[in-house]
Amino acid sequence: MISSRIDSFRSVAKNFKVVFLDSYGVLKNHKGLIDGVAETISFLRGEGIVFRVLTNDASRSQEQQVEVFDRLGLKDLDVEEVITSGMLAKQFLSHKIKDGKIAYLGTENSADYILQSGLKHIAVRDIDLENIEDISAFVFLDDEGFDWNYDIDTTVNFLRRKTVPVIVANSDKYYPVNKNDVSVATGGIAKLCESMLSKKFIHFGKPDTQMFNYAYEHINRDKQQYDKDDILMVGDTLSTDILGGNKFGLKTMLVLSGNTRSDNAELWINSSGIIPDYICDSILK
């Protein structure tokens, strides 16, 4: 299988009934909304193409995601058009964890959103390792909102002492902060802890199938209108967007406007074995 290098996203997109779009690196970057994205969304609407934004950002609710896009200049995005890993983690916690406290690593904002299960939650910095009997789950939320040295040490020591369900609300290992550099994301911290503890956590977000299942069922909630052959998954990261789309049986497009750059795309594809169906510079034309 060889990827097709194309000049126009729109020429491919119009052959599909549905487009799943990653957020960071496809619609926006460290500078804000990528120029031309609003026009592309208008094109999809005008062609009658259903779209969903699938993001591993667990720090904001769907409503907050829409508000951010509105401030950046992408207007009239509907709440139901955004699907986040945070909302899936929230659903899991509300159904599975019925008593005790939920400990979390991340910001209070994301904790207030995701941990609305009726249970109390406690930040890692407030954990007393000598008094952990009432903690019944642990959640990796954000890469911000905590002391990287003290709180990650506390996380590791807590998980060494007590076996509880551990949820990773954002599977991204890193994210771009400028054209050349990246920063460690929540998934990277969780992977480090998994390796140290020889444990497996429960991951939400791409490339795991829960998000794709949810999005697929959501677009077919009224009746079975769309098959997997009708859907194009567009993302900037091979290990999350493209791998997840491939595993779910969708056609995939790698764009070079985020994590993957034009000068290393072929190398990364060859070394990873993760092959998109299409490669395009961006979704802007």
Side-chain angles (χ1 to χ4, degrees):
M1 177 179 176
I2 300 175
S3 304
S4 299
R5 187 68 180 259
I6 60 171
D7 295 324
S8 169
F9 159 77
R10 296 183 187 183
S11 67
V12 173
K14 66 184 181 182
N15 297 315
F16 293 87
K17 298 178 181 178
V18 182
V19 175
F20 290 165
L21 298 161
D22 180 37
S23 176
Y24 202 96
V26 178
L27 303 180
K28 61 181 180 178
N29 58 24
H30 61 283
K31 295 180 180 178
L33 196 70
I34 296 174
D35 289 341
V37 161
E39 289 78 9
T40 295
I41 296 300
S42 294
F43 164 79
L44 294 176
R45 293 194 192 281
E47 292 288 319
I49 299 170
V50 173
F51 70 90
R52 293 291 184 269
V53 179
L54 274 57
T55 175
N56 280 1
D57 183 358
S59 64
R60 298 182 180 91
S61 67
Q62 292 167 283
E63 291 80 6
Q64 290 171 327
Q65 296 279 355
V66 169
E67 289 171 4
V68 170
F69 277 116
D70 186 78
R71 290 197 299 269
L72 292 177
L74 182 55
K75 307 293 184 179
D76 301 323
L77 198 62
D78 190 88
V79 168
E80 290 199 343
E81 291 173 330
V82 179
I83 297 170
T84 76
S85 59
M87 60 186 283
L88 302 179
K90 178 181 176 181
Q91 287 181 351
F92 175 89
L93 289 165
S94 65
H95 286 99
K96 294 290 187 179
I97 310 300
K98 300 300 183 182
D99 52 38
K101 294 179 182 177
I102 301 174
Y104 70 90
L105 188 72
T107 63
E108 293 181 6
N109 179 63
S110 58
D112 287 342
Y113 163 55
I114 292 176
L115 306 183
Q116 293 171 351
S117 59
L119 299 179
K120 293 181 179 179
H121 48 269
I122 180 172
V124 167
R125 63 178 175 273
D126 297 322
I127 291 177
D128 176 2
L129 289 173
E130 303 304 320
N131 183 23
I132 58 176
E133 292 80 10
D134 61 345
I135 298 177
S136 55
F138 189 97
V139 188
F140 288 86
L141 292 177
D142 294 335
D143 53 283
E144 299 176 336
F146 58 88
D147 181 286
W148 275 60
N149 291 321
Y150 178 83
D151 289 346
I152 292 178
D153 282 351
T154 301
T155 295
V156 171
N157 283 297
F158 167 75
L159 296 175
R160 287 179 69 241
R161 297 185 186 204
K162 187 168 186 181
T163 299
V164 296
V166 181
I167 295 90
V168 183
N170 181 346
S171 295
D172 285 350
K173 296 177 184 177
Y174 59 86
Y175 60 93
V177 293
N178 56 47
K179 183 178 180 181
N180 298 309
D181 301 319
V182 299
S183 185
V184 179
T186 317
I189 301 170
K191 281 292 185 183
L192 170 65
C193 294
E194 281 182 309
S195 176
M196 293 172 65
L197 297 164
S198 298
K199 293 185 177 182
K200 292 294 291 181
F201 302 156
I202 302 167
H203 289 255
F204 289 94
K206 302 163 291 182
D208 297 286
T209 58
Q210 297 99 327
M211 181 175 288
F212 292 96
N213 269 322
Y214 184 93
Y216 185 67
E217 291 174 1
H218 191 261
I219 60 174
N220 284 306
R221 62 191 183 280
D222 296 326
K223 58 182 179 179
Q224 186 69 30
Q225 302 180 73
Y226 307 106
D227 296 321
K228 292 182 180 181
D229 289 342
D230 296 324
I231 306 171
L232 174 68
M233 174 65 211
V234 182
D236 68 313
T237 306
L238 289 167
S239 60
T240 56
D241 308 313
I242 305 306
L243 177 59
N246 285 349
K247 287 168 61 178
F248 197 66
L250 309 180
K251 292 291 186 181
T252 55
M253 177 186 290
L254 176 71
V255 292
L256 308 177
S257 51
N259 271 327
T260 308
R261 302 194 307 269
S262 180
D263 58 353
N264 61 25
E266 184 176 350
L267 174 63
W268 284 19
I269 290 170
N270 290 337
S271 61
S272 68
I274 302 169
I275 305 172
D277 294 285
Y278 308 98
I279 302 174
C280 191
D281 287 337
S282 70
I283 65 166
L284 303 187
K285 62 179 183 178

